[in-house]
Amino acid sequence: MAEINEIDRIVESLSPNEIKILPFLKEHNLIKITEKSGLDNTSTLRALEFLSNKKIVELKTKQEKMIELGINGILYTKHNLPERRLANLVCEKNSISLKEAQRQSGLNENEFKAAIGVLKKKALINVLNENLVIAGSKEEITSKTLEERFLETLPKKLEDLKPEERYAFNNLKSRKEIIELNDKKTIEIGLTKLGERLISHDFSSLKGMIEPVTPSIIQSGSWKGKKFRRYDLKSQVPRIFGGKRHFVNQATDYAKKIWLEMGFKEMTGNLTVSGFWNFDTLFSPQDHPSREMQDTFFIKNKTAKLPDKTLVEEVKKAHEGKIKGSKGWQYEWKEDDAKKVLLRTHTTCLSAQTLKKIADNKEFPAKYFALGKVFRNETVDWSHAFDFNMTEGIVIDENANFRQLLGYLTEFFKKMGYEKIRIKPTYYPFTEPSLEIDIYHPVHKKWLELGGAGMFRPEVTIPFFGKHIPVLAWGPGFDRIIMEFYEIKDLREMYANDLNKSREMRIWNR
Amino acid sequence: MATFTLDRKELEKHIGKITPNMIEKISMMGTPVEDFNEETISVDITPNRPDFLSMQGFIRGVQSFLGKKPGLKEYKVEKPEKNYSVTIDKSVKRVRPFIACAIVKNLRFTDEKIKEIIDIQEKLHTGYGRNRKKMAIGIYPLEAITLPIKYYAEKPEEIKFQPLEFPREINGRQILSQHPTGREYGHLLQDAEIFPIFEDAKGEILSMPPIINSHKTGKIDENTKEVFIEVSGFNLEFQKKAINMIVTALADMGGKVYAMEIFESGKKELSPNLEPEKMHFSIENVNKVIGINLNEKEIKENLEKMGLGYGKEKNQCFALIPSYRTDILHEVDIIEDIAIAYGYENLVPEIPKISTIGEENAISIRKRKIAEILIGLGLIEISTYHLSTKEKQFKNIGVKEFLDETIEVIDSKTENNILRASLLANSIAVLSENLDSAYPQKIFELGRIFFNDNKSETGIGEKEKLCVSLCHEKANFTEIKQVLDYLAKMLNLKYEIEEFSHPSFIEGRCGEIIINNQSAGFLGEIHPFVLKNNKIMMPVSSLELDINQLFQ
C-alpha cells in the first residue's frame, strides 16, 4: 500500500515536460528523446535533471569527440555535394566543356576544382580536350558515394566509425568546413528500477492537474476538485541579488551605534587639514619623523591659515617648554611648518578641533567620537593601506583616569567581537600614559597592532583650557578590526569593489 | 619605531633564562618582542627610549623592570686629567654650534664590541639624531690623538685629510662628492660656506662632523683602550643626552668615564654630566591619573622598577631621573613610568557613571538615509579611494581640461597622487573593473570630493557627494531620472532639470539638477566614447549630486 502511495506522490510531482519525455527514456539518447518529445534541448535537459533528482533516471556525463556537420556540410546536405552536382550534370550531358560545366553546375572556382578532383580520383569522369566525359557506368555515377552516405549519418561519435566510414571521414575532414570534430559532453541516460515501473504508467489521470496558479484559476475557481502538481522543492533555483551597503560601511554604522549608545557625540570634519591641527596642537615636534614625507601626504602648493593668535601662541609655548611644569621640546617653533596642508594622518585632529570648541563653551564632562578616513603615505601590502578608517574617541572630564580609558576600549572591542585584546605600553608624542591595542589575527597568526590610546598630555590640553583637564583619547585603526569577520586576508580587498564578491559577501550581523 | 635585535645568550647572561613568561613581561615594559629564536630576540623600541638602543641600556632596563637590580644606577665621572679639553671657536656658531664630549678609558674591545658600538652610534644617528641633522656622534682612539682639541669651522677647500676607508687625502668639498658617506649626508653641509672640524693639538684633523672621521685618527680597533667621544649638533640638551647614553653603555662594559673641559667664549663647562635629575611630583596626581591607590612605599618600589630613584624634601616627593632618559618632560611622564611598573595588565578596566547624551552628526544621518533609499532600489554601494590618478579622474572620462581641478600630493608611494575631484570617475572605473561581473550592475557611492577653494582654511574645499551609475543592456536617461525622482520624492524635494554639457555625457541627454534655484548636480547617459575607453560594452547612465543641497 505504502509503495503505491509513493508512486502516486512521484507521479503527482512530475512536470508536464517530465511526462513528455518519460515514454522515450528507453531511447537512452538525448537527441532522440528531444526529437520525439518535441521539446527543445534545454527543456529536455532540465526535465532529465528533475527526473534524476527523483531517482527515476540515472545520468552519466561522458566527454566524447563528436563528428558534426560544418557550415558547408549543412549546405551540401540540402543542395548536394559539389561532386554530386557535377556528376549529375556530366551524366546527363555525357560530355560537356569545362567552361560550360562550371556555369551550369553553379559551382564556384574552388568547388568546381574540388569536384573534378574527387570524381577523377573515383574514376567516374575523365577530362578530354577541355571536355568532361563519363568514365564509369551510369549506375556507378548515380549511386551514392561513401561520403554522401557518411554525411547522412552525422552526428556520430568518432570512436564508433566503421572502416569505410573512417575512409569517408578522412576524405571530408581535409575539405573546407564540411565536417567538424567537437568535444561533446554526452549524457548517458539510464532508467532506474523506479523508472522502469513509471515508464509504463498511465498518466491520463494527470490531465487537468494544476500547474502554475494563475489569476484566472483563482477568479474562476477552476481549481476546485483538482489536484495541484507537486513541485520539486529541493531543486536549485536561479540566484537573485539585492542592493546592499558597502561592507565596511555596514560595520562603521554598527561601530557608530556602539559609541552613540555609550553617550558619545559624533565629530566630523575635513580630510584635508593644516599641520597645526594634525600635529602642532597635538604636541608633535616639528622635526618628528611622521611629519616628513614618508608617512604624510602633503598637498602641493597650499598654505593654510592658522586659527586665532592666542591658541597659536599657546601651542608655540607648549612646544618650546614655556608651559609650567613642562620642559617642552626645546626648539624654536615655527609657523611655516604648521601652515603646511596635508591629508589627515589621524582623526585625532578632529579631537583637537573639538577641544577648542569645548574650551570655548566650557561644556564638560563631554564625550565625543569620530569614525572616518585617515591617510598614510605607505607602500601597500596585506596589512597596510594608504587610505583607511580610524575610530576616534575623547572623554573630557576632571575625574577621568587611565582605568576608565581601558574600560571604554574593552567595552568597544567586546562589542566588536573581540573578547581578548592585548593592551601594552607604547609611545605617542601627545599622550601620557599611552597604550597600544593589539588583536590576534588567526589567519596570519600574528598580533595586529590597531593603534593607540592614552591621556592627552598637559602640553596638549593647557593651550586650549588654560589649565590641565584630563582627556582620555583613542584612535585605533578600524579596517583591521573587521578583516576577520569578513574573512578578508588582504586590506587591498577592502576597496577593490569586485561586484561579484560584494554580492556574495555576508552582511555584518553583530 | 626601531627594531632592535639582541644576542639571546648575551642577554641571558644578565637577566637569566628567557621564558615565554619573561617575553610577555618584556613586551609589557613597552618594548614588544617581535620575534625570538635560539640565537636572537628582536624588540621594538619606541622613539622616546633611545637609551634602550644599546645592549647595555636594554639590559639595564630589563634588570630593574624584572626586579633583579631595581633602583637608580649611579655613574661616576672622573675629574678631567691634564689637557682633557676642547675649545669651541665662534666660527662654528652658524654651521654646527654645539658639542658635548667625554673620554672613556679602561676599555677592552673585541670585534663584536666594536660592531656593537658602531651599531649604537648608527641607531642614535637615525632616530634620535634625525639622520645626523639634529646631532651626530664621533668616536676616536685616544691613543692616536694629542689633546687638547679644537673645534672650529674652515673653508671646505682648506680642509684636507684622508677620510675613513678612503685611499687618499681629499678636501672638504671633495668628501661630499667622492666619499660614500659624504654623498649620503652631504646635503647637511651643502649650503654652508665653512665646514666644522675637530683638530688635535698637533694640527691633525680628527673629523668633519656630521660627515666623516679621519682614517688616521678616527678609527677604533681591537687595540683601542681609550676613546674620545663627541656629539655635535644644534640642540645642546639633545646632545648631552646622547653622550650620556653612549658613555653609560661604555661604563656598563667596564669603561671609566672622564670629564672634559669645554671652553667657549671664555666660559668653562664640564662634560659629561651623569648626575640624575630631580623632578617633583605628587602621589595624589599619580593615583588620580592612573585610577589606583598606591602608598608612598609602593610608589617608590614602582619607580625603582623603572630605574628611577625616589626622594622627599620639605614634604614634597621627587623622582631622580637617570641622566640618559630623554623622555621625562613633565610629571605625567613619571606617572606613566609608575603605571608601566605597576603593569597595564593589573589595571582593572572601569566605565565611569557620567551621564552624557549621544548624538549622531546630521551629515551621517543624511548619508545613511540616502543609502537606505537606494538599497531599496536594489543598488549596491561601492567605496573607493580618495586618492586617484589624473588618468582615472579626468582622461578616462573624457575630461580634457583639468589643470585647475587637480590637487596634487607630494611624493606618493603609490601611483595615486591627486585628490579625487568627482565620484563619477571612480564609479566608471569600478564598472570598468567589473566587466566579468553579472549585469545589471547598479552602483552608488557616498563620499567626499575635493576642489580648490581659496576661501577655506586650507585652500581646499570638500563636498559630500552621491554618485549613482546604472549599467546594463537597457540603461538609459529615463532610468537614472527615475532614481533621482524617487530619491526626491522620498526626501520631499522638488527639482528641475536644465540642459547641461559635460564631456562624459551624450549632448542632449545630459541635464543639470536644480534644487531651490541652485545647481545640485548632473545626470545623463554616458557617451559611448567614454564607455569604449573603459572597455564597458553596456550603456551606462549616471548622476552625481551634492548631498548638502538635498537637505536644505
Side-chain angles (χ1 to χ4, degrees):
Chain A
M1 225 16 220
E3 205 182 330
I4 292 165
N5 278 343
E6 184 58 25
I7 292 269
D8 281 349
R9 272 177 74 91
I10 290 169
V11 168
E12 280 174 22
S13 70
L14 293 175
S15 71
N17 283 354
E18 288 168 79
I19 293 168
K20 272 188 196 154
I21 64 168
L22 253 176
F24 310 112
L25 288 177
K26 279 226 158 113
E27 298 286 349
H28 300 290
N29 177 314
L30 180 62
I31 298 156
K32 292 217 169 111
I33 295 172
T34 310
E35 230 167 60
K36 293 195 171 168
S37 63
L39 294 176
D40 62 56
N41 198 42
T42 327
S43 306
T44 313
L45 275 171
R46 293 211 29 206
L48 279 170
E49 204 182 301
F50 291 147
L51 288 174
S52 155
N53 287 346
K54 297 185 182 108
K55 309 235 160 25
I56 294 168
V57 295
E58 238 178 345
L59 301 178
K60 273 186 207 151
T61 49
K62 231 171 107 186
Q63 195 83 16
E64 273 170 339
K65 288 215 183 295
M66 288 294 284
I67 306 160
E68 293 177 328
L69 287 172
I71 296 173
N72 289 332
I74 294 167
L75 207 73
Y76 296 150
T77 47
K78 277 188 196 149
H79 306 291
N80 285 330
L81 283 166
E83 60 265 36
R84 170 56 50 211
R85 278 150 73 182
L86 185 63
N88 287 350
L89 183 70
V90 177
C91 197
E92 188 189 317
K93 308 274 178 184
N94 281 324
S95 171
I96 185 168
S97 75
L98 282 169
K99 210 173 165 190
E100 201 49 29
Q102 186 176 350
R103 196 183 61 80
Q104 289 189 26
S105 67
L107 298 173
N108 67 33
E109 184 84 24
N110 286 338
E111 288 174 323
F112 186 64
K113 275 184 186 159
I116 292 175
V118 171
L119 293 174
K120 271 171 76 183
K121 201 174 163 197
K122 289 187 188 293
L124 294 173
I125 59 165
N126 272 326
V127 185
L128 283 173
N129 303 327
E130 301 287 305
N131 282 324
L132 294 174
V133 293
I134 301 177
S137 70
K138 287 215 173 186
E139 287 76 44
E140 265 182 316
I141 296 182
T142 47
S143 64
K144 283 188 178 174
T145 62
L146 282 176
E147 287 79 15
E148 284 172 304
R149 270 179 275 160
F150 177 63
L151 286 178
E152 281 168 6
T153 62
L154 293 184
K156 215 176 175 87
K157 293 178 198 163
L158 182 63
E159 56 176 329
D160 291 352
L161 295 187
K162 294 179 195 109
E164 74 270 16
E165 284 176 325
R166 190 163 285 279
Y167 173 78
F169 167 72
N170 284 332
N171 281 342
L172 288 170
K173 88 177 167 193
S174 56
R175 291 172 64 179
K176 201 179 171 201
E177 289 174 342
I178 295 181
I179 53 169
E180 48 190 43
L181 198 57
N182 291 326
D183 283 324
K184 272 278 156 77
K185 244 193 218 165
T186 54
I187 298 173
E188 269 184 23
I189 301 153
L191 276 170
T192 62
K193 274 188 185 158
L194 180 63
E196 298 279 359
R197 289 170 62 182
L198 273 176
I199 206 161
S200 51
H201 196 276
D202 176 15
F203 293 105
S204 58
S205 66
L206 294 179
K207 288 256 163 64
M209 264 189 118
I210 293 177
E211 286 296 325
V213 177
T214 61
S216 79
I217 289 176
I218 302 165
Q219 254 167 24
S220 65
S222 65
W223 53 271
K224 281 175 197 159
K226 285 189 183 160
K227 278 189 168 173
F228 291 85
R229 182 170 67 80
R230 289 174 176 275
Y231 281 171
D232 181 353
L233 308 181
K234 286 184 179 166
S235 71
Q236 293 278 337
V237 293
R239 302 184 65 180
I240 55 166
F241 298 100
K244 58 158 88 147
R245 293 213 73 179
H246 189 266
F247 64 97
V248 174
N249 290 343
Q250 293 175 35
T252 55
D253 267 359
Y254 170 78
K256 281 180 177 181
K257 210 177 98 211
I258 299 176
W259 296 123
L260 289 167
E261 281 169 357
M262 286 201 269
F264 284 74
K265 278 187 187 165
E266 189 179 3
M267 316 180 263
T268 55
N270 280 353
L271 303 177
T272 48
V273 291
S274 62
F276 183 76
W277 287 113
N278 195 73
F279 295 123
D280 293 285
T281 54
L282 295 167
F283 197 54
S284 296
Q286 292 186 325
D287 68 349
H288 193 271
S290 72
R291 295 181 75 143
E292 283 167 25
M293 301 316 170
Q294 61 257 39
D295 292 308
T296 308
F297 286 115
F298 286 99
I299 312 284
K300 227 182 219 175
N301 301 330
K302 296 279 177 199
T303 309
K305 300 180 187 89
L306 294 184
D308 62 78
K309 268 230 162 71
T310 351
L311 181 61
V312 175
E313 207 42 50
E314 288 303 309
V315 167
K316 180 178 163 76
K317 269 160 75 180
H319 280 249
E320 293 183 348
K322 291 169 187 162
I323 274 180
K324 195 172 168 278
S326 166
K327 294 197 213 169
W329 294 118
Q330 298 169 16
Y331 72 109
E332 194 193 334
W333 185 87
K334 295 193 183 87
E335 282 194 358
D336 285 356
D337 261 8
K339 285 179 179 168
K340 286 184 180 164
V341 177
L342 49 102
L343 280 170
R344 68 186 187 199
T345 63
H346 48 194
T347 38
T348 319
C349 54
L350 295 174
S351 291
Q353 287 163 346
T354 304
L355 288 190
K356 165 109 172 90
K357 220 165 57 193
I358 294 172
D360 292 346
N361 309 334
K362 305 263 180 301
E363 275 173 15
F364 52 87
K367 300 193 293 207
Y368 283 86
F369 83 96
L371 216 166
K373 278 291 177 76
V374 300
F375 306 87
R376 301 282 167 88
N377 193 3
E378 299 212 56
T379 42
V380 177
D381 65 22
W382 74 268
S383 65
H384 292 91
F386 60 80
D387 175 326
F388 60 94
N389 285 290
M390 196 175 252
T391 176
E392 178 84 12
I394 46 172
V395 176
I396 305 104
D397 177 17
E398 296 268 17
N399 295 314
N401 68 42
F402 198 59
R403 281 205 298 121
Q404 295 167 3
L405 176 62
L406 301 187
Y408 287 116
L409 290 172
T410 313
E411 184 65 22
F412 174 74
F413 280 99
K414 197 155 76 185
K415 291 192 171 178
M416 289 301 296
Y418 293 95
E419 288 288 336
K420 263 197 177 163
I421 52 172
R422 181 167 85 165
I423 286 179
K424 61 179 200 289
T426 193
Y427 170 74
Y428 296 100
F430 45 95
T431 52
E432 197 80 11
S434 308
L435 65 85
E436 164 93 41
I437 309 147
D438 296 348
I439 52 167
Y440 194 71
H441 196 285
V443 177
H444 289 280
K445 300 201 188 322
K446 264 188 96 159
W447 282 100
L448 261 188
E449 291 175 355
L450 293 182
M455 295 173 73
F456 277 150
R457 298 185 64 98
E459 292 91 337
V460 174
T461 58
I462 291 173
F464 290 111
F465 295 101
K467 61 170 183 170
H468 180 53
I469 309 282
V471 179
L472 311 177
W474 54 87
F478 186 74
D479 294 7
R480 285 177 172 188
I481 304 177
I482 59 175
M483 277 174 102
E484 195 202 339
F485 177 85
Y486 287 118
E487 291 169 11
I488 285 175
K489 294 184 189 76
D490 191 321
L491 278 177
R492 282 167 289 200
E493 285 174 43
M494 288 272 179
Y495 306 102
N497 296 302
D498 178 330
L499 294 181
N500 274 345
K501 276 191 187 157
S502 306
R503 286 172 178 135
E504 304 274 349
M505 207 137 193
R506 63 193 287 208
I507 59 147
W508 183 266
N509 62 1
R510 289 195 217 276
Chain B
M1 190 95 69
T3 303
F4 183 28
T5 304
L6 297 103
D7 186 305
R8 180 169 173 162
K9 289 212 175 64
E10 185 66 24
L11 190 61
E12 286 184 333
K13 266 189 223 161
H14 299 273
I15 65 170
K17 185 138 183 61
I18 294 173
T19 59
N21 187 28
M22 199 186 276
I23 294 281
E24 195 56 35
K25 278 236 168 82
I26 290 172
S27 288
M28 293 312 284
M29 190 172 82
T31 49
V33 177
E34 282 297 297
D35 199 15
F36 69 100
N37 53 42
E38 288 301 307
E39 276 97 49
T40 60
I41 166 166
S42 297
V43 289
D44 270 348
I45 307 292
T46 49
N48 60 324
R49 293 304 300 264
D51 56 303
F52 279 161
L53 287 173
S54 70
M55 169 75 108
Q56 293 69 30
F58 189 70
I59 288 170
R60 201 189 298 138
V62 178
Q63 278 178 335
S64 58
F65 189 70
L66 297 179
K68 291 187 193 302
K69 284 183 188 172
L72 183 76
K73 188 163 182 180
E74 295 195 27
Y75 290 92
K76 198 171 174 233
V77 182
E78 305 292 334
K79 284 204 186 85
E81 291 180 0
K82 189 167 176 266
N83 286 336
Y84 278 20
S85 70
V86 183
T87 306
I88 303 180
D89 185 77
K90 60 177 186 301
S91 55
V92 298
K93 274 291 153 250
R94 281 191 353 246
V95 52
R96 205 166 176 86
F98 306 115
I99 59 161
C101 53
I103 280 172
V104 184
K105 293 192 187 180
N106 200 27
L107 293 165
R108 261 167 306 170
F109 283 156
T110 57
D111 262 358
E112 276 307 300
K113 282 272 173 286
I114 291 172
K115 265 192 215 125
E116 240 178 84
I117 290 166
I118 291 170
D119 195 43
I120 301 172
Q121 195 182 351
E122 278 316 304
K123 285 205 162 78
L124 288 177
H125 276 162
T126 318
Y128 193 64
R130 307 281 191 263
N131 287 321
R132 306 193 185 189
K133 195 165 144 195
K134 209 165 181 176
M135 63 99 207
I137 303 158
I139 304 176
Y140 315 81
L142 198 58
E143 293 90 344
I145 49 186
T146 317
L147 297 169
I149 290 164
K150 210 170 129 189
Y151 179 53
Y152 69 104
E154 177 69 273
K155 286 205 186 85
E157 290 74 20
E158 303 294 321
I159 301 170
K160 282 198 182 103
F161 67 101
Q162 182 191 356
L164 210 54
E165 314 296 347
F166 202 75
R168 60 179 190 280
E169 198 170 85
I170 46 177
N171 74 32
R173 190 73 71 193
Q174 288 167 324
I175 288 175
L176 299 199
S177 60
Q178 292 177 22
H179 196 279
T181 324
R183 282 200 289 269
E184 196 177 346
Y185 297 100
H187 61 276
L188 296 173
L189 285 181
Q190 204 108 68
D191 301 327
E193 285 163 26
I194 45 174
F195 292 3
I197 46 172
F198 284 95
E199 195 184 271
D200 77 354
K202 279 190 181 158
E204 283 286 346
I205 292 176
L206 308 184
S207 71
M208 184 173 88
I211 312 293
I212 193 86
N213 280 10
S214 150
H215 194 75
K216 255 160 82 185
T217 54
K219 194 182 178 202
I220 52 172
D221 59 31
E222 282 168 72
N223 302 318
T224 308
K225 300 270 182 295
E226 303 175 345
V227 293
F228 160 63
I229 308 167
E230 49 78 16
V231 182
S232 65
F234 294 88
N235 188 320
L236 190 54
E237 284 310 307
F238 266 65
Q239 290 161 233
K240 284 180 178 172
K241 294 286 184 193
I243 200 111
N244 291 353
M245 282 184 248
I246 294 178
V247 298
T248 49
L250 291 177
D252 285 354
M253 287 182 197
K256 212 168 168 189
V257 182
Y258 286 77
M260 293 185 84
E261 290 170 323
I262 299 178
F263 293 101
E264 190 183 10
S265 337
K267 276 183 280 181
K268 185 180 93 175
E269 202 181 324
L270 281 184
S271 170
N273 177 5
L274 299 182
E275 285 298 306
E277 188 189 344
K278 205 185 265 182
M279 188 183 265
H280 290 101
F281 72 97
S282 95
I283 291 182
E284 190 197 339
N285 283 351
V286 173
N287 286 328
K288 186 169 178 283
V289 168
I290 307 175
I292 47 178
N293 196 10
L294 299 180
N295 59 33
E296 192 183 343
K297 185 172 159 268
E298 290 163 324
I299 295 241
K300 179 172 181 285
E301 281 167 8
N302 281 316
L303 280 174
E304 284 170 352
K305 269 178 87 174
M306 301 305 284
L308 272 65
Y310 173 80
K312 208 171 179 184
E313 59 186 4
K314 290 179 205 153
N315 242 345
Q316 220 191 340
C317 12
F318 60 81
L320 288 169
I321 302 153
S323 62
Y324 50 80
R325 283 290 292 268
T326 62
D327 59 321
I328 314 274
L329 312 180
H330 189 278
E331 180 189 35
V332 286
D333 298 297
I334 297 172
I335 297 175
E336 186 189 61
D337 265 25
I338 294 170
I340 293 172
Y342 183 83
Y344 281 15
E345 70 278 22
N346 298 321
L347 293 169
V348 183
E350 175 209 45
I351 292 193
K353 291 186 174 54
I354 56 166
S355 158
T356 54
I357 293 163
E359 187 183 306
E360 195 177 8
N361 184 281
I363 190 81
S364 299
I365 300 172
R366 287 168 190 177
K367 282 164 78 176
R368 200 153 37 76
K369 290 292 163 201
I370 293 170
E372 272 170 27
I373 294 167
L374 296 175
I375 287 162
L377 294 177
L379 273 61
I380 291 182
E381 187 185 28
I382 57 166
S383 182
T384 65
Y385 292 126
H386 291 78
L387 284 149
S388 186
T389 62
K390 283 178 197 159
E391 202 71 32
K392 255 194 205 168
Q393 277 297 301
F394 304 111
K395 292 182 191 162
N396 285 1
I397 59 162
V399 179
K400 291 194 184 81
E401 310 270 318
F402 51 79
L403 278 179
D404 293 345
E405 291 180 61
T406 16
I407 301 174
E408 258 181 87
V409 301
I410 301 167
D411 290 342
S412 175
K413 283 187 185 163
T414 67
E415 56 166 6
N416 301 289
N417 61 351
I418 63 160
L419 303 187
R420 67 184 181 195
S422 76
L423 295 183
L424 177 67
N426 290 10
S427 120
I428 298 293
V430 166
L431 294 176
S432 174
E433 283 154 14
N434 275 285
L435 302 174
D436 295 339
S437 301
Y439 290 91
Q441 296 179 3
K442 300 182 177 185
I443 56 176
F444 73 99
E445 178 165 26
L446 292 156
R448 206 78 66 91
I449 60 102
F450 304 85
F451 57 98
N452 286 304
D453 176 11
N454 290 332
K455 275 173 270 167
S456 81
E457 191 184 300
T458 54
I460 299 169
E462 298 184 16
K463 266 188 190 149
E464 291 282 357
K465 293 262 187 163
L466 160 69
C467 178
V468 178
S469 284
L470 310 170
C471 175
H472 57 99
E473 229 167 310
K474 289 175 181 160
N476 58 17
F477 184 84
T478 306
E479 194 187 14
I480 195 70
K481 192 173 171 183
Q482 283 175 313
V483 172
L484 172 67
D485 207 59
Y486 179 66
L487 191 64
K489 193 139 274 170
M490 291 304 103
L491 298 173
N492 197 24
L493 270 178
K494 285 201 168 55
Y495 70 94
E496 275 163 80
I497 303 289
E498 297 288 345
E499 273 215 13
F500 191 60
S501 181
H502 185 297
S504 306
F505 293 89
I506 299 171
E507 185 81 28
R509 298 189 191 179
C510 172
E512 184 174 26
I513 304 162
I514 313 278
I515 297 171
N516 294 327
N517 296 321
Q518 275 190 312
S519 171
F522 49 80
L523 82 172
E525 284 182 19
I526 303 292
H527 199 286
F529 157 74
V530 173
L531 299 179
K532 190 85 194 299
N533 234 355
N534 290 280
K535 300 190 177 68
I536 301 168
M537 292 305 156
M538 294 276 180
V540 176
S541 57
S542 300
L543 70 77
E544 186 165 307
L545 258 177
D546 186 337
I547 291 173
N548 283 316
Q549 303 265 24
L550 298 178
F551 293 87
Q552 276 174 355

